[in-house]
Amino acid sequence: MHHLIHTVATDGPFALLDLAHLSQQTGGDLLLQRELLDLFRLRSPELVDKMHALADTSQRSALCDLAHQLKGSAVALGAFAIAAAAGTVEQAFGPNSCCNDDETVTFRTRGEAALAALSDAVAEALVAIDAYLSDLTAKPEA
């Protein structure tokens, strides 16, 4: 089996896609990596869209649940920038994020900024994922 281990973008906690981590999580199984990344490519934009839709409602708990789900998936795959951004969304919309009516404008601004950062992180990571999947497709397994 061919093991392609490198990192797209940066190493460390804010890697767009830490392929060493992904390889460790999947035991180096490239077919499993493809399957998981394909699923993430489809699912992550859907989750972000749902979060944007929920941001204008009173369903903050549901939004936080989606952010937490995305954060867990991102950590498992090594998409740490998405995980960090999703964690910020959780904090921005969490139960302790807004205490009274005077803080509503700050809450909305903070929440909107967190969602925008998450959208950007997902878009950037999807480019990295697409590049990695193209690289996998171009290289025959040995």
Side-chain angles (χ1 to χ4, degrees), residues 30 114 136:
L30 296 178
L136 282 180

Side-chain angles (χ1 to χ4, degrees), residues 24-52:
Q24 182 180 11
Q25 292 292 96
T26 60
D29 184 335
L30 296 178
L31 292 176
L32 179 58
Q33 289 178 25
R34 284 183 186 132
E35 185 177 327
L36 293 173
L37 290 172
D38 278 335
L39 182 60
F40 189 78
R41 281 176 52 224
L42 295 173
R43 191 75 177 119
S44 58
E46 291 174 0
L47 290 173
V48 172
D49 288 346
K50 287 179 183 178
M51 284 183 247
H52 279 284

Side-chain angles (χ1 to χ4, degrees), residues 7-137:
T7 299
V8 176
T10 60
D11 285 325
F14 296 105
L16 291 176
L17 183 60
D18 184 335
L19 297 176
H21 178 82
L22 177 61
S23 182
Q24 182 180 11
Q25 292 292 96
T26 60
D29 184 335
L30 296 178
L31 292 176
L32 179 58
Q33 289 178 25
R34 284 183 186 132
E35 185 177 327
L36 293 173
L37 290 172
D38 278 335
L39 182 60
F40 189 78
R41 281 176 52 224
L42 295 173
R43 191 75 177 119
S44 58
E46 291 174 0
L47 290 173
V48 172
D49 288 346
K50 287 179 183 178
M51 284 183 247
H52 279 284
L54 289 170
D56 293 330
T57 71
S58 61
Q59 299 179 34
R60 290 171 37 192
S61 177
L63 191 155
C64 288
D65 289 345
L66 293 174
H68 188 76
Q69 180 182 357
L70 182 57
K71 181 173 74 173
S73 297
V75 167
L77 295 176
F80 298 119
I82 292 176
T88 300
V89 169
E90 275 187 291
Q91 291 175 351
F93 288 94
N96 298 323
S97 62
C98 185
C99 301
N100 59 51
D101 290 339
D102 294 336
E103 294 177 347
T104 300
V105 172
T106 302
F107 160 73
R108 287 181 191 228
T109 302
R110 188 174 61 239
E112 288 170 5
L115 278 172
L118 178 58
S119 294
D120 290 346
V122 168
E124 291 172 5
L126 291 180
V127 170
I129 289 169
D130 286 342
Y132 178 61
L133 290 174
S134 291
D135 194 34
L136 282 180
T137 303

